[in-house]
Amino acid sequence: MLEKNLMKGNEALAEAAIRAGCKCFFGYPITPQTELSAYMAKRMHKEGGVFLQAESEIAAINMVLGAASTGVRAMTSSSSPGISLKSEGISYIAGSDVPAVIINVQRGGPGLGGIQPSQADYWQATKALGHGDFQLLVYAPCSVQEMVDMVVKAFDTADKYRMPAMILADGLLGQMMEPVQFPEIKANSIDKSSWAANGHGNKREHHIINSLYINATDLEEQVIERYKRYDIIKETETDAELYLTGDADIVVCAYGATARVVKSAVNSARAEGIKVGMFRPKTLWPFPVKELNQASQKASKLLCVEMSMGQMIDDVKLAINCSKPVSFFGRTGGVIPTPDEVLEQIKSL
């Protein structure tokens, strides 16, 4: 049996990254993720790694690009407005085909907003985290244990496909304390010798990390090749939890911390004889299209619940080809929906 540790979400993320082989962390403090950086500051040098508090979020993400270009595992973390500042650098990372992990512990917005939990960065993460034609892997944990597991998964998958990966958490999960187990991490076997710019002693050709292509057709070829990888990812890397959906007439769609609230509401509705289930995407990109269609096979209607004004609802509608009505209920600005509120929405359907 693995030992259980009572840990705050932010600190569990940091410990998981260290155990997954993260050797370089570059960050800048912002609530509600600052404990992650503080934990890294205490632990990284003891594990033979590098911690550096950069002078800004922009500096931090470009340091990640530089470190990851050598083939080492590199990571940064921030909260919503800080991620916006990192968006240009994330686009450079994607354009350079370099693997890296970015943590976003979301807070309310837009602007400085507030420091309470939010899920209003869904569009940013899945649709437009930087300029140009690119995607990044987006994982959505709903517990501190899943934060641990998904950090390991994010590093491995980012390495496999040479692309950035994001853990899209929120202030509720970041500040929550729960028992966690740290699995034995297998040594990663991804060979980076064909591209890493890590010194060669004149024994091979130079490896050049670059996202600039003056010739338009050269850039087009690079983007098309990248999208071929994305097609493979969409077929093989989706993940979701299907809860009581086998006979469900109503399927409630929710991710992250909101899914915990929804699961309580679903259980209450079931106790009252209402046939309702929950679909929880664990990967937000790629979105689990096949899994949602399986979950909603017998359903007549769907309900999307989020801590935003409804940013996931379009992906839900597209996944089912708008074949069934999709309703929405959400709280925003840092307000967390309650199980009773969700239950009332279920009953109204």
Side-chain angles (χ1 to χ4, degrees):
M1 291 288 292
L2 294 173
E3 180 185 359
K4 285 190 176 182
N5 302 271
L6 183 63
M7 295 187 75
K8 182 176 282 192
N10 285 331
E11 295 180 342
L13 281 168
E15 180 63 28
I18 292 169
R19 296 193 185 206
C22 178
K23 292 300 180 186
C24 295
F25 177 89
F26 308 102
Y28 189 79
I30 180 174
T31 304
Q33 67 78 52
T34 300
E35 293 96 342
L36 198 163
S37 294
Y39 192 92
M40 285 294 203
K42 288 185 286 188
R43 290 275 281 118
M44 283 294 276
H45 71 284
K46 296 177 182 177
E47 299 296 328
V50 172
F51 167 87
L52 196 151
Q53 180 174 307
E55 66 268 29
S56 70
E57 288 89 351
I58 295 170
I61 194 63
N62 283 287
M63 291 174 183
V64 170
L65 170 58
S69 296
T70 70
V72 303
R73 287 190 160 181
M75 186 176 92
T76 189
S77 69
S78 192
S79 295
S80 306
I83 294 294
S84 296
L85 287 167
K86 295 177 191 283
S87 62
E88 181 187 23
I90 293 169
S91 179
Y92 289 171
I93 290 170
S96 301
D97 293 313
V98 169
V101 172
I102 302 108
I103 309 287
N104 183 1
V105 182
Q106 299 168 89
R107 56 188 269 176
L112 287 174
I115 63 172
Q116 302 302 323
S118 174
Q119 291 180 322
D121 298 353
Y122 181 96
W123 281 338
Q124 182 191 53
T126 60
K127 303 291 191 291
L129 190 47
H131 57 283
D133 283 320
F134 81 95
Q135 296 280 174
L136 71 165
L137 298 153
V138 183
Y139 297 94
C142 81
S143 67
V144 177
Q145 183 63 58
E146 270 198 347
M147 286 171 134
V148 168
D149 298 336
M150 285 183 176
V151 166
V152 178
K153 178 72 172 176
F155 272 113
D156 287 347
T157 314
D159 280 351
K160 181 179 179 180
Y161 295 104
R162 287 182 61 185
M163 63 186 293
M166 171 174 278
I167 306 293
L168 192 64
D170 63 71
L172 181 59
L173 293 172
Q175 297 295 320
M176 177 185 294
M177 293 189 77
E178 288 186 319
V180 293
Q181 294 176 314
F182 291 93
E184 292 294 327
I185 311 286
K186 294 181 181 178
N188 189 271
S189 59
I190 298 293
D191 183 8
K192 302 178 183 179
S193 62
S194 64
W195 61 266
N198 55 3
H200 54 86
N202 294 318
K203 294 177 182 177
R204 60 163 170 77
E205 293 183 358
H206 291 284
H207 290 163
I208 299 173
I209 305 297
N210 179 47
S211 64
L212 175 65
Y213 296 88
I214 301 301
N215 188 308
T217 56
D218 289 344
L219 177 56
E220 183 182 50
E221 287 174 7
Q222 288 292 324
V223 173
I224 290 172
E225 188 281 328
R226 203 168 289 128
Y227 269 72
K228 289 178 181 177
R229 271 182 280 155
Y230 295 166
D231 287 339
I232 295 170
I233 293 167
K234 285 189 278 189
E235 285 295 317
T236 60
E237 300 293 343
T238 58
D239 195 8
E241 177 190 3
L242 278 56
Y243 182 71
L244 301 178
T245 57
D247 65 343
D249 181 52
I250 301 169
V251 171
V252 186
C253 305
Y255 70 94
T258 305
R260 299 167 71 115
V261 176
V262 166
K263 185 172 282 189
S264 293
V266 166
N267 289 336
S268 296
R270 281 279 175 175
E272 295 184 27
I274 303 170
K275 291 184 177 180
V276 59
M278 182 185 73
F279 164 77
R280 177 173 71 91
K282 298 181 183 180
T283 53
L284 300 183
W285 194 92
F287 193 79
V289 173
K290 291 178 288 187
E291 291 88 340
L292 177 54
N293 279 279
Q294 178 186 342
S296 60
Q297 194 170 11
K298 295 182 179 180
S300 63
K301 58 196 74 172
L302 289 80
L303 171 65
C304 202
V305 180
E306 304 174 57
M307 284 192 285
S308 74
M309 292 301 291
Q311 297 191 11
M312 186 175 68
I313 191 170
D314 286 345
D315 281 341
V316 170
K317 289 179 178 179
L318 286 169
I320 61 170
N321 290 316
C322 297
S323 59
K324 297 170 184 179
V326 182
S327 303
F328 170 73
F329 173 72
R331 302 299 301 269
T332 192
V335 180
I336 301 168
T338 68
D340 285 344
E341 288 175 335
V342 178
L343 179 59
E344 285 304 312
Q345 294 296 317
I346 292 170
K347 287 180 176 181
S348 71
L349 293 176

